[in-house]
């Protein structure tokens, strides 16, 4: 009874924290139904056409260590490659054009580390946030540097919508720790940003592969780490809000408390969904990932969400569930394709002497096991 009472009190405290720091007038409570391997997410139920893009890797500058974020605009693809510490530009067919690799350094018009990037679709610019020192590098869409703006603050992720530049910042320990979602006029980046959301109950040093801040066609989606709420902002105002309830496998049932240390968290919350990332939308659905292996799909009209551990790609011979954070796709999504899975598939086809489907023929032609990731750009129904 004592443990149940403690759990109830912790849940109430978490609810008060949410209510005190987040908007609620657009709140939609969404119960997430989680399916095990006996049920599959069938790709044709929400995806249709696709395009295979093989990113060329004929020079060292073109090599992608990991595509942290993809930026599509007109006939350009920009890859934010934090592991390779550069932005790489390709045309829409994957042909390498240019990178920022030669700008790495400590001199004039150089950077030490690139952190994140976003396309300013309104003014047709590329914004790249760097640290050590904190600065914003602004490029034209041919990747020519136009200006550098020194900044007094660090943002782990950025996104631009209209005249707003949004970012996710770390809260100082004296301010309670955790994270802040902020905005600032893109023309006045030296100004102190305005905090739109703040969430303190976070475990330092724990994060999920993916992005918590995702541009969409008419705003941005954000879900701060260890929060359960997904927000959509336009012009620095909330337009949609979803509180995701994963039941026994989520934080609403197992809330994080301020005195929780990372070791205890790792031991007890290994199987809990505690981080929502990679939000990608169409007119009717919202796709996202968490720290778990499930692929999540939410019907925005019916307020129903499901998470699947098993994936039936009945359109394409590669199963994939992890979204590559992307900007600039209208009703589109890019899933990360694991090279070893492609190699295994091609090997099985070879051993079985099976006839090659058009999709397998195209994969065989474009896949380079020693080269860059092969991008599959899907159209969402």
């Amino acid at each position: 009874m004592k443990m149940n009472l403690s759990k109830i009190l912790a849940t109430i405290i978490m609810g008060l924290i949410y209510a005190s720091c987040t908007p609620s007038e657009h709140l939609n409570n969404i119960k997430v139904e989680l399916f095990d391997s006996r049920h599959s997410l069938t790709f044709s139920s929400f995806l249709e056409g696709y395009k295979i893009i093989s990113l060329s890797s004929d020079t060292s500058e073109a090599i992608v260590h990991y595509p942290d974020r993809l930026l599509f605009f007109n006939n350009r693809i920009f890859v934010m490659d934090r592991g390779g510490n550069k932005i790489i530009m390709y045309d829409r067919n994957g042909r390498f054009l240019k990178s920022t690799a030669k700008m790495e350094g400590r001199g004039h018009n150089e950077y030490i580390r690139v952190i994140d990037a976003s396309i300013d679709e309104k003014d047709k610019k590329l914004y790249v946030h760097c640290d050590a020192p904190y600065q914003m590098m602004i490029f034209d869409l041919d990747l020519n540097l136009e200006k550098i703006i020194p900044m007094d603050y660090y943002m782990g992720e950025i996104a631009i919508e209209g005249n707003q530049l949004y970012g996710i910042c770390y809260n100082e320990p004296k301010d309670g720790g955790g994270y802040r979602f902020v905005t600032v006029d893109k023309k006045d980046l030296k100004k102190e940003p305005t905090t739109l959301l703040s969430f303190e109950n976070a475990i330092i040093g724990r994060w999920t592969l993916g992005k918590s801040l995702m541009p969409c066609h008419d705003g941005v989606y954000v879900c701060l780490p260890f929060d359960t709420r997904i927000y959509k902002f336009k012009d620095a105002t909330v337009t949609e809000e979803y509180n995701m309830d994963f039941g026994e496998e989520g934080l609403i049932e197992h809330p994080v408390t301020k005195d929780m240390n990372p070791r205890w968290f790792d031991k007890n919350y290994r199987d809990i969904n505690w981080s929502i990332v990679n939000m990608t939308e169409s007119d009717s659905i919202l796709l996202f990932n968490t720290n778990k292996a499930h692929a999540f799909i939410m019907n925005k009209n019916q307020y129903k969400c499901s998470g699947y551990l098993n994936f039936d790609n009945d359109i394409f011979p590669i199963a994939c569930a992890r979204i590559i954070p992307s900007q600039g796709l209208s009703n589109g999504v890019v899933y990360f394709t694991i090279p070893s899975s492609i190699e295994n598939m091609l090997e099985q086809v070879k051993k079985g002497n099976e006839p090659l489907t058009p999709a397998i023929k195209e994969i065989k032609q474009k896949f380079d096991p020693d080269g860059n990731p092969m991008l599959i750009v899907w159209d969402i129904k």
Side-chain angles (χ1 to χ4, degrees), residues 21 23 45 63 138 147 185 211 237 254 256 265 275 290 322 349 370:
C21 67
S45 66
I63 297 296
I138 302 176
K147 67 173 71 172
D185 189 324
K211 295 296 183 184
T237 302
H254 308 272
V256 173
F265 175 83
S275 180
T290 71
R322 205 76 193 168
V349 170
D370 299 316

Short mmCIF file of all heavy atoms in Angstrom, two decimals, residues 21 23 45 63 138 147 185 211 237 254 256 265 275 290 322 349 370:
data_model
loop_
_atom_site.label_atom_id
_atom_site.label_comp_id
_atom_site.label_asym_id
_atom_site.label_seq_id
_atom_site.Cartn_x
_atom_site.Cartn_y
_atom_site.Cartn_z
N CYS A 21 4.09 24.21 -16.65
CA CYS A 21 5.11 24.69 -17.59
C CYS A 21 4.73 24.48 -19.04
O CYS A 21 5.52 24.78 -19.93
CB CYS A 21 6.45 24.00 -17.31
SG CYS A 21 6.45 22.22 -17.66
N PRO A 23 1.56 24.53 -22.33
CA PRO A 23 0.21 24.91 -22.73
C PRO A 23 -0.73 23.72 -22.63
O PRO A 23 -0.30 22.59 -22.68
CB PRO A 23 0.40 25.34 -24.20
CG PRO A 23 1.87 25.56 -24.37
CD PRO A 23 2.54 24.65 -23.39
N SER A 45 -0.29 0.30 -45.90
CA SER A 45 -1.44 0.92 -45.24
C SER A 45 -1.26 2.42 -45.07
O SER A 45 -2.24 3.14 -44.86
CB SER A 45 -1.66 0.26 -43.87
OG SER A 45 -0.58 0.55 -42.98
N ILE A 63 31.77 11.55 -48.07
CA ILE A 63 31.46 10.43 -47.19
C ILE A 63 30.59 10.88 -46.03
O ILE A 63 30.91 11.84 -45.32
CB ILE A 63 32.74 9.78 -46.65
CG1 ILE A 63 33.57 9.20 -47.80
CG2 ILE A 63 32.42 8.70 -45.63
CD1 ILE A 63 32.89 8.08 -48.54
N ILE A 138 25.52 31.33 -41.68
CA ILE A 138 24.42 31.44 -42.63
C ILE A 138 24.99 31.33 -44.04
O ILE A 138 25.89 32.08 -44.43
CB ILE A 138 23.66 32.76 -42.45
CG1 ILE A 138 23.12 32.85 -41.01
CG2 ILE A 138 22.51 32.86 -43.45
CD1 ILE A 138 22.43 34.15 -40.69
N LYS A 147 27.49 34.94 -43.82
CA LYS A 147 27.83 35.65 -42.58
C LYS A 147 27.93 34.67 -41.42
O LYS A 147 27.41 33.56 -41.48
CB LYS A 147 26.80 36.73 -42.27
CG LYS A 147 25.42 36.21 -41.91
CD LYS A 147 24.49 37.32 -41.44
CE LYS A 147 24.08 38.24 -42.56
NZ LYS A 147 23.02 39.20 -42.14
N ASP A 185 13.97 35.80 -32.95
CA ASP A 185 13.87 36.34 -34.31
C ASP A 185 15.15 35.98 -35.07
O ASP A 185 16.25 36.26 -34.62
CB ASP A 185 13.70 37.86 -34.25
CG ASP A 185 13.37 38.47 -35.60
OD1 ASP A 185 13.90 37.99 -36.63
OD2 ASP A 185 12.61 39.46 -35.63
N LYS A 211 15.91 13.23 -33.48
CA LYS A 211 15.74 14.65 -33.21
C LYS A 211 14.42 14.91 -32.48
O LYS A 211 13.38 14.39 -32.84
CB LYS A 211 15.76 15.46 -34.51
CG LYS A 211 17.11 15.43 -35.25
CD LYS A 211 18.22 16.08 -34.45
CE LYS A 211 19.52 16.11 -35.23
NZ LYS A 211 20.63 16.66 -34.41
N THR A 237 3.41 29.91 -31.46
CA THR A 237 2.15 29.61 -30.76
C THR A 237 1.79 28.15 -30.96
O THR A 237 1.92 27.62 -32.07
CB THR A 237 1.01 30.50 -31.29
OG1 THR A 237 1.38 31.88 -31.12
CG2 THR A 237 -0.28 30.23 -30.54
N HIS A 254 5.24 5.50 -14.95
CA HIS A 254 6.51 5.38 -14.24
C HIS A 254 7.26 6.72 -14.33
O HIS A 254 8.26 6.84 -15.03
CB HIS A 254 7.38 4.28 -14.86
CG HIS A 254 6.68 2.97 -14.99
ND1 HIS A 254 6.66 2.04 -13.99
CD2 HIS A 254 5.96 2.44 -16.01
CE1 HIS A 254 5.97 0.97 -14.38
NE2 HIS A 254 5.54 1.20 -15.61
N VAL A 256 9.58 10.00 -14.00
CA VAL A 256 10.93 10.33 -13.56
C VAL A 256 10.84 11.37 -12.45
O VAL A 256 10.10 12.34 -12.55
CB VAL A 256 11.76 10.87 -14.74
CG1 VAL A 256 13.11 11.39 -14.26
CG2 VAL A 256 11.96 9.79 -15.79
N PHE A 265 18.00 4.68 -13.12
CA PHE A 265 17.15 4.85 -14.30
C PHE A 265 17.44 3.76 -15.32
O PHE A 265 16.53 3.11 -15.85
CB PHE A 265 17.37 6.23 -14.91
CG PHE A 265 16.63 6.45 -16.19
CD1 PHE A 265 15.30 6.85 -16.18
CD2 PHE A 265 17.25 6.25 -17.41
CE1 PHE A 265 14.61 7.06 -17.36
CE2 PHE A 265 16.57 6.46 -18.60
CZ PHE A 265 15.25 6.86 -18.57
N SER A 275 11.47 8.77 -24.50
CA SER A 275 11.92 9.86 -25.37
C SER A 275 11.22 9.74 -26.71
O SER A 275 11.32 8.70 -27.38
CB SER A 275 13.44 9.80 -25.55
OG SER A 275 13.90 10.84 -26.40
N THR A 290 10.66 6.31 -30.65
CA THR A 290 11.07 6.56 -29.27
C THR A 290 12.43 5.91 -29.08
O THR A 290 13.09 5.53 -30.05
CB THR A 290 10.06 5.98 -28.25
OG1 THR A 290 10.14 4.55 -28.26
CG2 THR A 290 8.65 6.43 -28.54
N ARG A 322 13.20 3.07 -38.41
CA ARG A 322 13.80 4.27 -37.83
C ARG A 322 13.78 5.41 -38.84
O ARG A 322 14.31 5.28 -39.95
CB ARG A 322 15.23 3.98 -37.39
CG ARG A 322 15.74 4.88 -36.28
CD ARG A 322 15.16 4.49 -34.96
NE ARG A 322 15.39 5.52 -33.94
CZ ARG A 322 14.79 5.51 -32.76
NH1 ARG A 322 13.94 4.56 -32.46
NH2 ARG A 322 15.03 6.46 -31.89
N VAL A 349 18.54 -13.47 -52.45
CA VAL A 349 18.02 -13.48 -53.82
C VAL A 349 18.96 -14.23 -54.74
O VAL A 349 18.54 -15.03 -55.59
CB VAL A 349 17.80 -12.04 -54.32
CG1 VAL A 349 17.48 -12.03 -55.82
CG2 VAL A 349 16.67 -11.36 -53.55
N ASP A 370 30.19 -0.40 -49.52
CA ASP A 370 31.31 0.36 -48.95
C ASP A 370 31.11 1.86 -49.08
O ASP A 370 32.01 2.64 -48.76
CB ASP A 370 32.62 -0.04 -49.65
CG ASP A 370 32.94 -1.51 -49.48
OD1 ASP A 370 32.79 -2.01 -48.35
OD2 ASP A 370 33.31 -2.16 -50.47
#
